[in-house]
Amino acid sequence: MRQNISYIFTALLLLALASCQQRAQMPEPDNADATGGYTMSLTVVAPDADPSLRAHLSGEAGDPVLKATFTEDDDIALFVWQDGKLYDLANVGFASVEEGGKRATLTFELPAGVDETKPIDLIAYDGPADFGYKSGTEVRRSNMLIEGDKILINGMPYGPIEIDKFSAPVMFHEKGIIPSETERTERFVKFKHFGCYEVIFFTNNSDTAIEPRVGLSQKGRSKYGMTRKWAYESQLDMTDFGMKYPYINLTTGELFYSKDTKPSMRFASTGKLEPGASVTLVSWYVPNAEVTLPEMELAYKNGYDWVVSDQKIAAKDFPMEIGKAYAVSGSWDGTKVTIGEVTTVEPTSITLDQSELTIKVGKTATLTPTIEPADATNKNVTWSSDDETVATVSDGVVTGVKAGTATITAKTANGMTANATVTVEEIPVTKITLPSKEASMTIGGTMDLKPMIEPADATNTHISWSSFDPDVATVDANGRVTAKGAGTTTITGTAASGVTVTLVVTVSDDVIEVTAVSLDKTKATIKVGKSLQLTATIEPSGATDQKLEWTSSDSDIAIVTDGRVTGVAPGDVTITVKTTNGKTATCTIIVEKTTGVPDVPGVEI
């Protein structure tokens, strides 16, 4: 018996030592003077903000109102991943918050080293273990471990927490973003819960105040504060008496065990509960999908002793699910714990604010459900589309994918449904223009057509090209005109919407010399690390030799490739474009230093 107590004491001591707060930080940056890249903005949506994620362990129902919403003073831990490099942007605040905290805009400057032409991954975390700050170019984190390609947080539960103090941990891992102009401003991402929630409605019916240390207990195995096999358990190695703790890797979503010192998980303690008062308590887990829910009881710690309910919660043939809340009610009368009943008000109907909806491809619109009666206990709504190739839906936000018709369905937890018919339309091309209406060429010469399309967000921008007389000049699918023989022909470009543009091409045997070259800018300013595209125009447009050579007067200040200028260091530089026959044009580029605290450059893995 004494030996068993010694084992228990040793295990508790190891657990206490392991729970000490460990400060984690990114490795030292390779280049402390690295400057930031371009600014990127995303719209993020909070999961099920009004209220939802409610399931029930014992068959009773309640209203735990597990809200995951944003506020102006929120900040999240944000990471960028690209080509084997992990960039820690420290904690980033929301630029704006809308729709009662359900939708927010996240604006941040990507660090130097990120290639804007290649896909990136974004990993964000908002929860009790995201605390971090930036000191110069060094990111310090006290409740995370950054190990190579791993972003680790503690997977141990916390609780119970009073629901008004509870912050549901959420995250997103958005893969393969190509940070084009559109992606920077119009991409939507949705935070996701990655744990499940135990919700207990507890009432003190005794004559004295209590501290409600309450939890679900598996009979014969555990009470609140101990391991819960149906979710996961800490593991004591009896060989070296080392404790293994569950971690979550935010990079992969993997739950695994490690003997490493775990990041601490801080949580609020519950205050005293006066006689007759009630409290709603929440605990959080990362569930073990391989274990189903056993028979359980409600446990309350009275002084040094645990008291459990006589009633039992029947075993379930399913595991606890990510993002779900499992609720039970109970009370304490000074002698025993009783599992009580919670009144359930079922939805009787659901309606949508629009029964028909028309949107363009790539655009969004929001459907808002109304559930009757207003005091229904469970207002969960499940959204679906009968054709996701035409339109998708998430939390009522409908996104057009391609032209067609789809039916969007909103369904309550008890099976009530409402439908909306969504018609998705293409954004047609309304106008095509070319730099000129006529061109002269010589036999054997080529010319690339550069059409300008309106509107800029047209969805089908394909243009079909044709030549009236291929013996004079041909045109390929990409708009390249090749002069074949002397004469005149008309080149026609036709969009899918039927809009056309024409170019009259005259082909002669003579060589057409370049008479001038010009740039669309003569002076411009960029930041270090930023780029600017210069466009050259040759006159006449059908000149035989249209090759161009680009040079920079000082490549230590700015470099140029095919007209794309990139700032290297502060200073002034002259960019020159030159034709084969010596015609030139110049542009003065002023490169300015990037302001603000630079982000940490990528760390090689």
Side-chain angles (χ1 to χ4, degrees):
M1 178 68 175
R2 181 170 298 174
Q3 186 179 18
N4 290 339
I5 292 175
S6 176
Y7 282 152
I8 293 172
F9 178 78
T10 301
L12 291 175
L13 179 61
L14 288 169
L15 180 63
L17 290 173
S19 63
C20 292
Q21 180 168 313
Q22 174 77 15
R23 180 172 296 276
Q25 65 187 52
M26 288 291 291
E28 291 289 338
D30 294 332
N31 180 8
D33 296 326
T35 56
Y38 55 87
T39 298
M40 186 170 184
S41 294
L42 300 175
T43 296
V44 295
V45 181
D48 307 286
D50 182 25
S52 59
L53 298 180
R54 292 176 300 191
H56 303 284
L57 181 64
S58 63
E60 293 91 356
D63 191 10
V65 195
L66 289 179
K67 292 188 176 181
T69 55
F70 307 129
T71 61
E72 293 287 355
D73 58 354
D74 275 349
D75 56 3
I76 66 170
L78 187 64
F79 302 86
V80 175
W81 169 272
Q82 184 184 70
D83 291 342
K85 289 184 180 180
L86 185 66
Y87 305 81
D88 187 348
L89 275 63
N91 285 18
V92 178
F94 292 114
S96 65
V97 177
E98 302 171 353
E99 297 183 25
K102 186 171 182 179
R103 189 180 299 270
T105 300
L106 186 66
T107 299
F108 51 94
E109 188 173 82
L110 289 176
V114 173
D115 187 342
E116 64 187 270
T117 66
K118 296 181 179 179
I120 63 172
D121 288 3
L122 289 179
I123 303 169
Y125 173 78
D126 183 20
D130 69 346
F131 176 76
Y133 65 94
K134 182 180 290 183
S135 175
T137 59
E138 181 183 33
V139 176
R140 296 182 181 272
R141 295 202 176 278
S142 58
N143 288 326
M144 280 186 176
L145 291 178
I146 312 297
E147 297 182 346
D149 60 347
K150 298 183 178 67
I151 306 171
L152 305 179
I153 65 169
N154 179 24
M156 293 290 287
Y158 64 83
I161 298 177
E162 296 175 58
I163 199 164
D164 60 349
K165 299 177 183 177
F166 180 76
S167 175
V170 291
M171 61 91 70
F172 72 74
H173 184 184
E174 194 74 5
K175 300 179 180 180
I177 298 176
I178 299 177
S180 63
E181 291 292 344
T182 299
E183 298 286 12
R184 295 181 205 177
T185 58
E186 297 182 2
R187 189 174 187 93
F188 291 82
V189 294
K190 180 181 177 183
F191 275 73
K192 296 179 180 178
H193 292 262
F194 56 95
C196 57
Y197 311 92
E198 172 190 291
V199 182
I200 299 175
F201 305 91
F202 197 71
T203 303
N204 179 17
N205 288 328
S206 71
D207 296 330
T208 59
I210 63 173
E211 292 184 4
R213 295 193 64 189
V214 182
L216 295 179
S217 169
Q218 182 180 354
K219 182 174 177 58
R221 178 176 177 84
S222 61
K223 298 180 176 64
Y224 167 71
M226 303 293 284
T227 59
R228 303 182 183 198
K229 187 176 181 180
W230 64 88
Y232 60 79
E233 57 185 333
S234 299
Q235 300 170 353
L236 173 61
D237 189 328
M238 297 301 293
T239 302
D240 59 8
F241 295 99
M243 294 294 291
K244 290 185 177 180
Y245 298 97
Y247 284 83
I248 306 164
N249 184 351
L250 297 184
T251 311
T252 63
E254 174 191 12
L255 176 68
F256 66 98
Y257 286 88
S258 172
K259 286 187 179 180
D260 299 334
T261 302
K262 65 185 178 66
S264 64
M265 179 76 76
R266 298 183 300 220
F267 55 88
S269 60
T270 306
K272 288 188 176 181
L273 192 62
E274 297 298 326
S278 298
V279 67
T280 303
L281 304 172
V282 185
S283 298
W284 172 68
Y285 306 91
V286 178
N288 183 347
E290 298 177 358
V291 180
T292 56
L293 294 170
E295 180 184 82
M296 284 182 284
E297 54 205 5
L298 187 60
Y300 161 63
K301 190 173 186 180
N302 180 20
Y304 293 100
D305 300 319
W306 283 97
V307 181
V308 298
S309 60
D310 293 331
Q311 306 97 319
K312 300 297 183 290
I313 302 170
K316 303 293 183 181
D317 61 353
F318 56 87
M320 300 179 85
E321 298 179 42
I322 290 289
K324 292 294 182 68
Y326 296 81
V328 65
S329 66
S331 63
W332 166 251
D333 65 4
T335 303
K336 63 180 183 297
V337 174
T338 303
I339 297 176
E341 295 291 333
V342 180
T343 302
T344 301
V345 179
E346 294 288 347
T348 58
S349 68
I350 179 173
T351 56
L352 297 175
D353 61 336
Q354 302 173 79
S355 59
E356 295 183 353
L357 190 64
T358 300
I359 58 176
K360 303 295 186 182
V361 171
K363 301 299 181 180
T364 62
T366 301
L367 293 172
T368 302
T370 299
I371 295 176
E372 296 292 343
D375 61 348
T377 303
N378 191 342
K379 292 185 178 180
N380 282 353
V381 175
T382 302
W383 297 89
S384 62
S385 168
D386 70 343
D387 191 345
E388 292 192 343
T389 65
V390 173
T392 61
V393 61
S394 175
D395 287 341
V397 179
V398 182
T399 302
V401 178
K402 72 173 184 179
T405 302
T407 299
I408 303 298
T409 300
K411 184 178 180 180
T412 65
N414 66 337
M416 301 291 173
T417 60
N419 298 324
T421 301
V422 177
T423 301
V424 181
E425 299 177 342
E426 298 279 5
I427 302 176
V429 174
T430 58
K431 186 178 181 181
I432 309 172
T433 56
L434 290 170
S436 62
K437 295 182 179 181
E438 297 180 353
S440 298
M441 304 178 68
T442 57
I443 295 174
T446 61
M447 175 176 59
D448 290 324
L449 300 178
K450 298 178 180 179
M452 292 173 286
I453 293 174
E454 297 179 21
D457 61 349
T459 51
N460 187 351
T461 58
H462 176 72
I463 297 176
S464 298
W465 297 98
S466 63
S467 171
F468 178 76
D469 189 348
D471 292 334
V472 174
T474 60
V475 59
D476 65 14
N478 297 316
R480 168 162 286 193
V481 180
T482 302
K484 295 293 186 179
T488 299
T489 188
T490 299
I491 303 297
T492 302
T494 305
S497 62
V499 175
T500 62
V501 66
T502 60
L503 175 71
V504 176
V505 176
T506 301
V507 179
S508 69
D509 296 330
D510 300 327
V511 173
I512 301 176
E513 292 286 344
V514 174
T515 59
V517 62
S518 61
L519 292 173
D520 59 336
K521 296 178 179 64
T522 58
K523 188 175 183 180
T525 301
I526 60 174
K527 302 285 187 183
V528 171
K530 297 294 182 71
S531 297
L532 172 71
Q533 182 66 49
L534 296 177
T535 302
T537 301
I538 291 176
E539 296 180 8
S541 59
T544 303
D545 188 350
Q546 298 197 14
K547 293 188 176 98
L548 295 174
E549 179 185 356
W550 296 86
T551 57
S552 169
S553 63
D554 191 340
S555 59
D556 290 334
I557 296 176
I559 58 176
V560 61
T561 303
D562 292 333
R564 187 173 184 81
V565 184
T566 302
V568 177
D572 297 352
V573 67
T574 299
I575 302 299
T576 302
V577 61
K578 182 179 179 181
T579 65
T580 302
N581 67 344
K583 305 297 181 182
T584 62
T586 61
C587 175
T588 300
I589 300 292
I590 302 171
V591 181
E592 296 180 344
K593 183 178 180 179
T594 302
T595 58
V597 179
D599 286 297
V600 178
V603 178
E604 290 287 354
I605 294 172

